[in-house]
Amino acid sequence: MPRPVHFEIYAADPARARRFYETVFGWSFKQWGDQDYWIITTGNEGPGVNGGLLPRQGADPAPDGPVSGYVMTTEVPDLDATIASIEGVGGVVAMPKSHMPGVGWLAYYRDTEGNLFGILQSD
């Protein structure tokens, strides 16, 4: 069956977005040629997907607007430490951490570009 193989993050300020994701998750970014596009490497072990970062075309998402795309959730070893890191570099809570029985602890945040993403600490 088809599986996701790539994701993209749109940013009003790609440099600011890179700093955010490098700090929070330790992801690495490499510019693709001379394009305004950066390849994102999220890791080399276990299951996962890599992505890209590029300038946003159009208006930033409204802070209280509806979800208008897929929400990518990243598994983290320590949800509270990740929340502290996110908030320390300008991320804003969209849904406070809550327990999902049989799954773990989940929270949604907005990055410095207004993009919604999830973080999960498995049970």
Side-chain angles (χ1 to χ4, degrees), residues 20 85-92 110-113:
F20 179 87
S85 180
I86 290 167
E87 292 176 352
V89 290
V92 178
R110 290 198 180 270
D111 67 10
T112 53
E113 309 309 301

Side-chain angles (χ1 to χ4, degrees), residues 10 56 59-62 64-72 110 114-116:
Y10 293 84
R56 175 175 285 118
D60 289 346
D64 59 349
V67 176
S68 61
Y70 295 109
V71 176
M72 186 177 78
R110 290 198 180 270
N115 299 308
L116 187 66

Side-chain angles (χ1 to χ4, degrees), residues 87-104:
E87 292 176 352
V89 290
V92 178
V93 67
M95 182 187 81
K97 75 175 185 178
S98 60
H99 189 252
M100 299 180 64
V103 178

Side-chain angles (χ1 to χ4, degrees), residues 21-110:
Y21 287 100
E22 287 167 344
T23 300
V24 173
F25 297 126
W27 293 350
S28 63
F29 293 77
K30 181 176 181 183
Q31 190 166 4
W32 189 37
D34 62 354
Q35 304 294 311
D36 280 338
Y37 195 92
W38 293 263
I39 301 298
I40 303 169
T41 302
T42 62
N44 296 315
E45 297 177 17
V49 62
N50 294 319
L53 171 73
L54 65 158
R56 175 175 285 118
Q57 306 295 311
D60 289 346
D64 59 349
V67 176
S68 61
Y70 295 109
V71 176
M72 186 177 78
T73 299
T74 300
E75 187 172 12
V76 298
D78 184 335
L79 193 74
D80 291 329
T82 303
I83 287 171
S85 180
I86 290 167
E87 292 176 352
V89 290
V92 178
V93 67
M95 182 187 81
K97 75 175 185 178
S98 60
H99 189 252
M100 299 180 64
V103 178
W105 288 90
L106 174 70
Y108 281 2
Y109 273 80
R110 290 198 180 270

